[in-house]
Amino acid sequence: VSLLEKLPTMFATNRNAEAAFGPAVQTAITLLNPTGGKVLTSLASCPSVGEGRLKNREDPKLFHHAKEHTMTLPATEWYKDRALAASHAHVSFDLIVAAPNPIDVASVAPLPRYTGGHVVHATTANKAALHRDVTRCVTRTLGFEAVFRIRNPPQLGTINFFGHFYVRGNDMLAL
């Protein structure tokens, strides 16, 4: 009997709702470091165990106040640091967020952003869209170890880059 067939019965009585997303991300980067690759992750609750753990930062007192924007900023640089390590190892992350409770997406989002991945918000109301998004993540054509260099004369400077990749220098992108 394979491990995949045993999994549903192995954890059928488990009531632990903790999520060790950070250690899973670190393990995926370590395992794929020699070859690179694509990781499709799903997050159904806020990462709460191990490295990269987060707390619920939603504060109703900040709604409609000048400091409300602070809830949209990352609470930690841990996921950005892991994303940069993944980018150097040519590992890309797609993130499917399917949580009934608030998750600090602002802190986790650098993972797909700097590795060329995507964030998908899954809801129970739109299962067809989730199926379409997962199918697209799994079947899309991928390319790794690409570097895009922009050459222009000194009079024309590149100010901004838009997209999901890591900016290695003022004229070089890691895709």
Side-chain angles (χ1 to χ4, degrees), residues 15-72:
R15 298 293 175 229
N16 188 356
E18 302 293 325
F21 186 65
V25 166
Q26 187 61 44
T27 302
I29 294 169
T30 303
L31 289 174
L32 291 174
N33 193 21
T35 59
K38 183 81 164 174
V39 180
L40 181 62
T41 61
S42 63
L43 195 56
S45 64
C46 194
S48 56
V49 176
E51 291 183 289
R53 68 180 159 267
L54 300 169
K55 295 178 183 173
N56 184 4
R57 298 186 305 145
E58 189 173 306
D59 186 2
K61 295 178 206 166
L62 293 179
F63 293 162
H64 309 296
H65 284 80
K67 298 223 177 200
E68 182 178 16
H69 76 280
T70 60
M71 291 188 293
T72 64

Side-chain angles (χ1 to χ4, degrees), residues 116-140:
H118 290 82
V119 177
V120 175
H121 180 238
T123 63
T124 56
N126 199 351
K127 291 179 183 175
L130 175 62
H131 182 267
R132 181 189 69 237
D133 290 338
V134 171
T135 301
R136 177 159 163 63
C137 289
V138 172
T139 61
R140 105 173 80 206

